[in-house]
Amino acid sequence: MTFINIEANTDMRFSEDQQMIQEAARGFCQDKSYIEAVRKLLDSETGFQAEIWQEMVELGWLGMCIEETHGGSALGLDCLIPIAESMGRQLLATPFFASTLAAQQIQRAGSEAQKSRYLPMIANGTVATLALLDNEDWGAEVSKCSLSADGKINGRKVLVEAAAQAEIFIVLCQQGEQQRLAIVERSQLADSAVEAHTLIDETKRAGIVNLNDISISEEQLMPSSAANALDDVKLIGALLIAAESVGSAAACLNLTVEYLNTRKQFNKLIGSYQALKHPTVDMLNMMEAARSQVYHAATLLADSQGDITRDAEIACRMSKASANDALLFAGDRAVQFHGGMGFTYECDAQLYIRRAQWSQQHYGDSAYHRKRLTPLLLA
C-alpha cells in the first residue's frame, strides 16, 4: 500500500497573504533546516545559527505583526501561522516565538515610550522573551516573584525561552494583590543570573533567570492593565505552538510512511499490515483535524483584528489541545513502528517524540486547555 505524501496535501484555502507567506516560509525552512543541519545544532550553545536568524529578520518575520510606526509591517496574526507550521515541519528552532510574543505583549499593553523603544529593537532582531513561570504550572494565579514598593524585583523564573540570548525580558511579578509586568534589560542582570535549563527537546533552548534585587524605573513598569493583556498573549502563544506542533506531526507522519513503504518483513512491506496501516491513518486524521482547527483560530483572529473574542479563545484552546494530542500520538507511533531502532538516539523519530513532550507542556497541556474550555462551551 502506498500512502499519501503529506507535503503535497495542501488542499486548504488561505488568504493571499497567507499563501505567499506559506510558500516563502516552507522553501526557506526546507533550505535552512534539513534533518542533518538540525542534528548538528543539538549540541550547540544557542541551538540556532545567527546567520539564519538575521535572514529571518531581513524577511520581515520579526516585524510582521508590529505596527508600521514602530518598524513593522502590521500584518495580522494569521500570517504567523504558516511560518510556525513550516518551522515545526523542519524542526527549525530559533527565538522567533519568544520575540514575537514579547512584542505582542508590549504592543498590546506597553506605554507609548515602551513601544517606541522596544518594538523597533525586536523588529530588527534583538531577542526578547517572556519570563512568566515560577514553576511548571501555567495555571498559577499568584507569582512568587515579588515587586517591592521601592521598585525592586526578587524571584526566579524557569523555562524562559531563549534566556541566554535575550536582551529584553518581560517579567511577571507580584506587587501586593496585583500582578505586574516589568521590562528588564540584560544589562541589569548579573553575568551569572541566567542558568541553562536542559530540555527533553534538544532543538529548543530555555533557561532559569535569577532576579535578585533588580531595581527598575517607573518607565520599565508596564501599565497595570498589562496583566490582563497577558492572558491574550498566552493564547496567541498556545496557537503558535499548536501550529508548530501540526507541522512537526506532518513531518513525523512522512518519516513513518517512508519507513513503512521501504521496510520489509517476511518479504512484505510492513506498511501492508493492517495493524500498522490503521494507526497511520489515525495519525493523518488527528494531524489534519488539528491543522484545520489551527487555521480556523487564525481566521477568527484575522476577523477580529487580533482581539481575543470568546470564539477565538475557544478556537485557540481547542487548537492547542488537538495539536498536543496529534503530535504525541504521531511521535509515539513513529518510535514504535521503527521497532528497536526507534528507541535509539540515531533514529529521527526520537526528535519528534521529544518535540512532542516539550510542546505539549508549553503554554498549557491538553488537560489545562480543556479545563478552561468547559465553562466557555457550557456558558
Side-chain angles (χ1 to χ4, degrees):
M1 177 179 178
T2 301
F3 292 87
I4 66 171
N5 184 343
I6 304 306
E7 294 288 345
N9 186 27
T10 57
D11 187 18
M12 184 176 290
R13 294 181 181 179
F14 301 97
S15 68
E16 185 176 346
D17 286 340
Q18 280 181 319
Q19 184 68 42
M20 292 174 59
I21 292 169
Q22 183 192 51
E23 292 174 0
R26 182 168 294 184
F28 178 85
C29 293
Q30 286 176 341
D31 290 343
K32 305 297 181 182
S33 189
Y34 45 92
I35 202 71
E36 293 82 8
V38 171
R39 284 193 169 276
K40 286 180 181 179
L41 289 170
L42 294 181
D43 295 326
S44 67
E45 181 179 353
T46 63
F48 68 96
Q49 292 179 292
E51 296 83 2
I52 292 178
W53 179 248
Q54 187 56 42
E55 288 184 55
M56 292 170 68
V57 173
E58 292 170 1
L59 286 169
W61 289 2
L62 274 299
M64 189 168 289
C65 293
I66 292 176
E67 298 164 346
E68 292 183 19
T69 54
H70 298 303
S73 52
L75 295 176
L77 289 167
D78 56 309
C79 293
L80 294 175
I81 302 305
I83 296 175
E85 184 184 0
S86 297
M87 290 175 66
R89 190 183 291 265
Q90 299 300 134
L91 297 177
L92 174 60
T94 67
F96 177 73
F97 297 140
S99 289
T100 296
L101 294 172
Q104 279 295 303
Q105 181 61 40
I106 295 171
Q107 184 160 280
R108 287 167 179 264
S111 66
E112 286 304 316
Q114 289 166 350
K115 293 178 184 179
S116 297
R117 173 170 171 75
Y118 294 111
L119 290 179
M121 292 172 63
I122 295 172
N124 287 321
T126 299
V127 178
T129 191
L130 299 174
L132 306 178
L133 298 179
D134 306 304
N135 49 52
E136 296 181 3
D137 181 11
W138 280 97
E141 296 180 356
V142 177
S143 176
K144 295 179 181 178
C145 184
S146 64
L147 173 63
S148 65
D150 60 351
K152 288 191 176 181
I153 298 177
N154 280 282
R156 179 174 178 266
K157 293 297 180 181
V158 302
L159 297 174
V160 179
E161 280 190 272
Q165 293 77 45
E167 296 293 333
I168 303 166
F169 298 82
I170 301 179
V171 180
L172 178 65
C173 44
Q174 196 77 24
Q175 189 176 48
E177 298 295 321
Q178 189 178 22
Q179 287 192 332
R180 299 299 301 270
L181 287 157
I183 303 176
V184 178
E185 298 186 13
R186 166 70 69 169
S187 58
Q188 295 177 268
L189 302 179
D191 293 340
S192 60
V194 178
E195 306 172 30
H197 190 147
T198 302
L199 304 175
I200 189 169
D201 180 1
E202 293 180 302
T203 67
K204 299 282 191 175
R205 297 293 182 273
I208 299 168
V209 181
N210 296 293
L211 302 152
N212 300 315
D213 286 330
I214 303 298
S215 296
I216 62 165
S217 64
E218 191 66 27
E219 289 75 22
Q220 292 176 272
L221 191 62
M222 299 188 77
S224 56
S225 61
N228 295 328
L230 180 61
D231 292 337
D232 291 350
V233 173
K234 286 180 181 178
L235 284 172
I236 295 168
L239 181 60
L240 290 177
I241 299 301
E244 182 188 45
S245 296
V246 164
S248 295
C252 183
L253 177 55
N254 279 339
L255 175 73
T256 304
V257 168
E258 181 180 358
Y259 186 72
L260 295 181
N261 282 330
T262 55
R263 177 78 168 91
K264 286 187 177 182
Q265 284 188 338
F266 307 111
N267 294 320
K268 292 181 65 177
L269 291 172
I270 62 173
S272 65
Y273 295 109
Q274 287 189 348
L276 300 183
K277 284 195 291 187
H278 290 180
T280 305
V281 173
D282 290 338
M283 290 166 64
L284 172 63
N285 288 338
M286 291 176 71
M287 183 274 295
E288 288 288 8
R291 187 169 187 245
S292 295
Q293 290 182 338
V294 165
Y295 278 94
H296 171 61
T299 299
L300 291 178
L301 286 177
D303 292 343
S304 64
Q305 296 184 331
D307 291 337
I308 305 295
T309 62
R310 175 181 174 274
D311 287 345
E313 179 179 354
I314 290 172
C316 287
R317 294 195 186 281
M318 291 182 69
S319 297
K320 184 59 163 67
S322 297
N324 284 344
D325 295 347
L327 183 52
L328 281 168
F329 184 74
D332 177 79
R333 292 299 85 191
V335 169
Q336 295 289 337
F337 289 1
H338 278 79
M341 182 181 70
F343 291 86
T344 66
Y345 196 67
E346 288 73 20
C347 181
D348 291 336
Q350 283 288 318
L351 298 175
Y352 297 103
I353 197 169
R354 288 168 177 260
R355 169 61 61 86
Q357 293 297 325
W358 162 246
S359 294
Q360 70 155 334
Q361 301 293 340
H362 203 34
Y363 286 97
D365 62 11
S366 299
Y368 169 89
H369 287 285
R370 288 184 174 124
K371 180 179 179 180
R372 283 152 182 80
L373 273 169
T374 302
L376 290 168
L377 295 174
L378 297 180

